[in-house]
Amino acid sequence: MILGIGTDLANIDRIAGTLDRFGDRFRNRVFTETEQRKAEGRRDTVGTYAKRWAAKEACSKALATGLRMGIAWKDMAVSNLRTGQPVMQVTGWAKERLDAMTPPDHEAIIHVTLTDDHPWAQAFVVIEARPLR
């Protein structure tokens, strides 16, 4: 069963401007250390940050909160499996919200997909509840 769907479209040039203007202050407020290492290790550093920004926005929408109600940017974190597939982990208030949305005897699975085509970065997040076995 689908619990939530979220999408976001981020302008890569806007993220570049924010990084130029605020630098580490922006990076440290929004992105986990793992996300920062991933982005800084990529040839398209800004595009990587923009996709993760879009994923966090999309996740907050799928959680039916937007970025209000106490959710923090770092409560949602994107990493990649060895295959390259992006995955979303939630902690803090985002995890509490996810747990509250999940029906009894179900587990929540967060699906995320990312894409970019300069100047746009896009993310889709689908939260699924699967019955426990």
Side-chain angles (χ1 to χ4, degrees), residues 54-130:
K56 290 168 186 269
E57 287 273 7
C59 184
S60 72
K61 292 170 185 174
L63 290 168
T65 65
L67 283 161
R68 62 186 201 296
M69 296 174 53
I71 199 167
W73 287 103
K74 288 184 175 181
D75 285 350
M76 301 165 289
V78 178
S79 61
N80 296 84
L81 300 177
R82 292 174 80 135
T83 61
Q85 176 185 345
V87 293
M88 176 74 68
Q89 299 87 28
V90 293
T91 58
W93 196 91
K95 174 74 168 120
E96 290 175 21
R97 174 70 181 143
L98 180 63
D99 291 345
M101 292 171 62
T102 307
D105 300 323
H106 286 71
E107 65 176 335
I109 310 295
I110 302 174
H111 304 278
V112 60
T113 186
L114 309 171
T115 191
D116 66 298
D117 187 9
H118 195 86
W120 302 107
Q122 187 173 34
F124 286 95
V125 171
V126 175
I127 301 175
E128 173 190 10
R130 290 186 189 160

